[in-house]
Amino acid sequence: MSDLPRRAVTRSAKLASLPLGFAGRTALGVGKRTLGKPAEAVAMEIQQRTAEQLFKVLGELKGGAMKLGQMLSIFEAALPPEIAGPYRATLTKLQEAAPPLPAAAVHKVLAEGLGEDWRDEFESFDDKPAAAASIGQVHRAVWKDGRAVAVKVQYPGAGKALISDFNQLARLGKLFGVLMPGLDVKSMLAELKERVIEELDYTIEADSQSRMRAGFPADDPDFYIPEVVAQAGNVLVTEWIDGTPLSKIISTGSAEERDHAALLYCRFLLSGPKRAGMLHGDPHPGNFRILADGRLGVLDFGAVDRIPEDFQHRMGRLLRIGTLDDIDQIEAALRDEEFIREGVDIDTESLQMFLAPITEPFINETFKFNREWLRDMAAKVTDLRPTNVVRQLNLPPQYVIVHRVLSAGTGVLCQLECEIPARAESLKWVPGFAEDGDDSPIDAADTELAG
């Protein structure tokens, strides 16, 4: 970790540079307007340069700043490709380039968690990590009972880095507000900080994985959740599972294999809240495997959103209303859930154009997810002009992880270039989506399809 800017003073200085840069650009913009440059052109230029600096600094930092950048896809989606592209590349490079912990440091974490005689718990332990992430790394080992296991070890100091970053980022609300003036940044940052701090606690992750496994038991015909073998301190030991990574299905799978994987992937994300009361919050392809028996194996339960039953119904109702043609009813529902904040005016025609592709997969019997459709969808939000409706929308704290899963999950389905019955899956698994009522599009054909 020595090549990362870990010292608090250095990290704080980088984050503190953001509002200073914005202030300078704002002053420059006032000068240009005085000289006769159109106000909208000046505003767009300020926003673009602000975004460039914001994502450059976030991309240079590990810990909370980088995780924030990864999670806030709503910002990335609202940016032109020339900004978002290099930003994504920077994050990917940082994640892949994270230097592994030396074996001695790994052994120290294991001793602190499992005790000085930690080696007695294993038949064998591979000092070379099998995978690395933003706050820890995974080693392959054989447990004392002969089972192949994955041993997750957290980087020393990762918690302090995360908390330090979020404390700094909480002071940047006005800067984020330049890009998305309709957003309640303070509340969203508070929610993100709480979630990321939870991710540091392997006790919570072990509990989440066990609860998810209870909702998807070992004999489930569609899914396999590895069993938690042991957890102590900054160490988490779970069953090791082999299979074909979802990323390989994306790159080399046949149409049949891609459709099969996509259906299970969609079903798992949609059914998690109903079956286990939880939503897997990191739907990256690296967390999924197609097992030899055709089931979908699921990994990494550090980012999990607990979804109460009443909130499941609220989400389902909102999605159902979104499939209707009544834009006034859709606007009212969005205001009820605070996606449109009090006092914010929305152009309903622009809102309807923006929402149409988002709800499209849940209207017809089947839907073809592909990259072309995703590009068309992205084109509706990659416009920084003040008139773009997406800039007026809010992301309520309780929907932060839900939004992340919806946007990232949709992206993965489009990478799979698949055709699946997403509506039927929603009818079966999402409470509130299939309820009858004056605003419900459900009919007898839908009921038969859901069954």
Side-chain angles (χ1 to χ4, degrees):
M1 300 286 281
S2 59
D3 63 334
L4 299 173
R6 289 286 301 278
R7 289 182 58 196
V9 172
T10 302
R11 301 173 72 82
S12 297
K14 283 183 174 292
L15 291 168
S17 71
L18 290 170
L20 293 176
F22 169 62
R25 284 190 299 278
T26 303
L28 177 64
V30 172
K32 287 184 176 180
R33 283 198 298 273
T34 303
L35 294 175
K37 193 170 184 178
E40 184 171 305
V42 172
M44 286 186 66
E45 183 177 342
I46 290 174
Q47 290 157 10
Q48 182 158 330
R49 291 190 181 183
T50 299
E52 288 172 347
Q53 185 185 12
L54 174 65
F55 289 140
K56 179 176 183 293
V57 172
L58 290 178
E60 288 175 352
L61 296 169
K62 201 72 170 173
M66 194 181 86
K67 293 190 76 65
L68 175 69
Q70 291 171 313
M71 294 172 79
L72 294 189
S73 57
I74 189 170
F75 287 124
E76 184 181 331
L79 296 172
E82 60 268 21
I83 297 175
Y87 170 58
R88 284 194 300 268
T90 299
L91 290 175
T92 300
K93 182 179 178 182
L94 276 171
Q95 185 120 2
E96 292 176 349
L101 282 176
V106 173
H107 297 169
K108 183 178 179 181
V109 176
L110 289 168
E112 290 172 351
L114 301 177
E116 293 297 331
D117 57 351
W118 64 269
R119 287 188 181 277
D120 294 343
E121 303 294 328
F122 300 94
E123 287 187 5
S124 64
F125 182 89
D126 190 347
D127 284 339
K128 184 179 179 181
S134 57
I135 63 172
Q137 60 192 42
V138 177
H139 293 257
R140 187 163 188 169
V142 177
W143 195 243
K144 56 188 176 184
D145 62 4
R147 281 185 291 175
V149 293
V151 184
K152 194 171 183 178
V153 178
Q154 190 173 122
Y155 296 136
K160 291 182 179 179
L162 283 169
I163 295 169
S164 173
D165 287 345
F166 271 99
N167 288 339
Q168 291 293 329
L169 288 165
R171 301 167 184 165
L172 303 180
K174 290 183 179 179
L175 183 65
F176 286 107
V178 174
L179 301 178
M180 305 287 288
L183 198 65
D184 180 5
V185 178
K186 185 176 180 180
S187 297
M188 188 176 62
L189 285 175
E191 174 72 9
L192 283 172
K193 179 179 179 180
E194 182 178 339
R195 298 297 177 150
V196 172
I197 290 175
E198 281 186 4
E199 195 170 343
L200 288 164
D201 189 339
Y202 285 176
T203 303
I204 295 177
E205 180 171 352
D207 177 69
S208 297
Q209 187 160 339
S210 297
R211 288 179 57 187
M212 192 72 84
R213 183 177 167 89
F216 297 87
D219 60 353
D220 190 277
D222 294 328
F223 307 103
Y224 190 78
I225 310 296
E227 183 181 358
V228 174
V229 176
Q231 187 282 317
N234 290 328
V235 179
L236 175 61
V237 184
T238 63
E239 285 182 312
W240 183 276
I241 59 172
D242 287 308
T244 304
L246 191 57
S247 56
K248 188 173 182 180
I249 302 292
I250 289 172
S251 59
T252 63
S254 65
E256 183 179 0
E257 289 171 332
R258 286 184 279 110
D259 284 351
H260 171 73
L263 180 60
L264 292 183
Y265 177 83
C266 177
R267 181 175 296 163
F268 175 74
L269 294 178
L270 289 176
S271 65
K274 183 175 181 178
R275 294 186 61 175
M278 295 187 295
L279 176 68
H280 190 290
D282 190 6
H284 185 276
N287 291 330
F288 299 87
R289 305 277 189 274
I290 295 296
L291 307 184
D293 60 9
R295 291 188 292 174
L296 183 69
V298 187
L299 307 171
D300 197 344
F301 295 85
V304 167
D305 199 8
R306 286 161 175 76
I307 311 290
E309 188 174 348
D310 64 325
F311 187 45
Q312 293 179 37
H313 280 269
R314 285 166 52 197
M315 288 192 301
R317 174 182 176 272
L318 186 62
L319 182 60
R320 172 164 50 93
I321 291 175
T323 64
L324 305 177
D325 290 329
D326 189 342
I327 189 59
D328 292 333
Q329 192 173 0
I330 293 172
E331 181 187 358
L334 289 172
R335 289 190 182 278
D336 286 345
E337 292 295 324
E338 297 184 346
F339 279 92
I340 305 174
R341 298 170 67 190
E342 187 176 352
V344 175
D345 293 326
I346 292 285
D347 179 76
T348 53
E349 184 177 345
S350 299
L351 180 64
Q352 192 161 28
M353 290 177 61
F354 169 69
L355 292 176
I358 297 176
T359 58
E360 190 177 358
F362 305 101
I363 294 176
N364 299 315
E365 183 173 338
T366 64
F367 184 78
K368 292 182 178 181
F369 290 89
N370 55 61
R371 289 177 172 85
E372 183 180 0
W373 173 78
L374 186 63
R375 284 194 294 269
D376 290 343
M377 223 176 88
K380 295 181 181 295
V381 295
T382 54
D383 183 350
L384 286 175
R385 286 180 295 184
T387 53
N388 188 3
V389 70
V390 72
R391 298 185 65 245
Q392 309 304 319
L393 296 178
N394 181 41
L395 183 58
Q398 63 268 37
Y399 280 95
V400 167
I401 304 299
V402 174
H403 174 271
R404 178 189 184 188
V405 173
L406 178 62
S407 56
T410 298
V412 172
L413 291 173
C414 289
Q415 288 178 322
L416 282 162
E417 299 274 349
C418 60
E419 182 171 3
I420 60 173
R423 177 175 175 81
E425 292 297 314
S426 298
L427 287 167
K428 184 172 184 178
W429 295 112
V430 181
F433 186 78
E435 290 178 357
D436 291 320
D438 294 339
D439 57 3
S440 176
I442 308 304
D443 57 26
D446 286 329
T447 304
E448 181 178 349
L449 188 62

